[in-house]
Amino acid sequence: MRKNDSAHKLHIQVCLETKQLSEANCSCKAGLSGHCSHIIGLLKTLQGFKLHNLTSVPEQQSCTSIPRQGGHPRGMKIKPIPMSHVVVERPTAEVIKRKPVLCQLDIQKKLPLVESSDVKKLRQLDGTPLG
């Protein structure tokens, strides 16, 4: 279903004597038989309302009906720290405690400058981005 498509129209009929579904259909392609996921979703939603003793549809919208809440910048809640302070550890409740991975950064070590002859050698190699 696309965002600009209209919502599917669902119809169910329940027999009050037998408390069974007597008729169901949906406006989607598979819904004519009454065995589509939209009908199942409606029945599960109604079952949830019944289990929670609700007599009407709650006003709170579902997460798929409102604009996305996640993915927004957090601002300055997480402060930057130097790489030498980063500890990588898997959160587990295991009894066996493994040593965390620490950053082994030597800030005294200087990297050599890249010369034009180095770039020439890289260009001559096959399978490199410069090749």
Side-chain angles (χ1 to χ4, degrees), residues 7-125:
H8 291 299
K9 296 187 182 348
L10 288 88
H11 171 78
I12 61 169
Q13 189 171 356
V14 178
C15 179
L16 294 176
E17 294 171 1
T18 61
K19 297 184 180 178
Q20 290 188 355
L21 191 64
S22 59
E23 186 180 327
N25 58 36
C26 177
S27 63
C28 73
K29 289 181 182 179
L32 293 176
S33 65
H35 293 88
C36 70
S37 60
H38 305 109
I39 296 291
I40 302 298
L42 175 62
L43 293 174
K44 287 296 219 178
T45 302
L46 293 174
Q47 180 186 29
F49 289 170
K50 179 74 175 162
L51 287 173
H52 290 92
N53 294 324
L54 298 175
T55 55
S56 63
V57 177
E59 289 186 25
Q60 181 182 2
Q61 292 182 329
S62 69
C63 62
T64 56
S65 299
I66 58 176
R68 187 178 75 161
Q69 301 297 311
H72 300 292
R74 297 188 212 173
M76 292 303 291
K77 291 181 184 176
I78 299 176
K79 304 231 185 282
I81 60 170
M83 281 297 295
S84 57
H85 290 89
V86 174
V87 177
V88 180
E89 189 174 16
R90 182 178 294 157
T92 60
E94 296 176 5
V95 176
I96 302 170
K97 185 75 172 168
R98 295 183 180 163
K99 287 179 79 174
V101 177
L102 301 173
C103 180
Q104 302 292 325
L105 185 63
D106 185 6
I107 55 175
Q108 301 299 325
K109 187 175 182 178
K110 301 288 182 195
L111 295 174
L113 293 175
V114 178
E115 303 285 333
S116 60
S117 60
D118 297 327
V119 175
K120 272 186 190 175
K121 287 179 188 175
L122 285 173
R123 288 186 194 271
Q124 292 172 351
L125 295 173

